[in-house]
Amino acid sequence: MYTILVYDVNQKRVAKALKVCRKYLNWVQNSVFEGEISEAKLKKLKLELKQKLNLEEDSVIIYNFQTRLYSSREILGVEKNNLDRFI
């Protein structure tokens, strides 16, 4: 499945959230990640985030799509992490 994850966490926990999310998804820009992920890995990602975050203070929103086929992506301004770039 294709997933977009966005978080708003306390400054003290940003580095922890970033580290966990980068293990599973591609960093797009500040607090935003996207990519293909299996249901099992998504479950692990959510479990790891719950362990690192304060769910009474922090927020994570996860959008899941069965396919990326019918989606489009438009960027206004600076693209922080070009996922189409190859070295």
Side-chain angles (χ1 to χ4, degrees):
M1 82 178 77
Y2 189 77
T3 297
I4 298 173
L5 181 146
V6 203
Y7 64 74
D8 182 10
V9 301
N10 186 293
Q11 186 68 30
K12 296 180 278 187
R13 291 179 290 280
V14 168
K16 292 177 185 177
L18 176 67
K19 186 175 179 181
V20 170
C21 292
R22 278 192 166 167
K23 286 172 42 178
Y24 298 95
L25 297 167
N26 300 309
W27 177 78
V28 178
Q29 67 180 39
N30 299 349
S31 307
V32 181
F33 297 82
E34 66 180 34
E36 293 289 335
I37 190 169
S38 69
E39 287 189 40
K41 286 189 177 183
L42 180 59
K43 189 174 182 178
K44 287 173 71 172
L45 167 61
K46 291 194 277 188
L47 181 65
E48 285 185 46
L49 282 174
K50 285 179 183 177
Q51 292 171 348
K52 303 284 184 193
L53 303 180
N54 177 345
L55 298 181
E56 302 208 358
E57 190 176 309
D58 303 325
S59 174
V60 177
I61 300 172
I62 300 170
Y63 300 93
N64 293 310
F65 305 91
Q66 292 305 315
T67 178
R68 191 175 177 187
L69 184 62
Y70 299 109
S71 69
S72 66
R73 186 171 182 242
E74 183 177 351
I75 299 165
L76 303 175
V78 177
E79 184 171 6
K80 300 273 185 158
N81 187 21
N82 186 347
L83 299 177
D84 296 330
R85 246 187 288 173
F86 291 100
I87 297 176

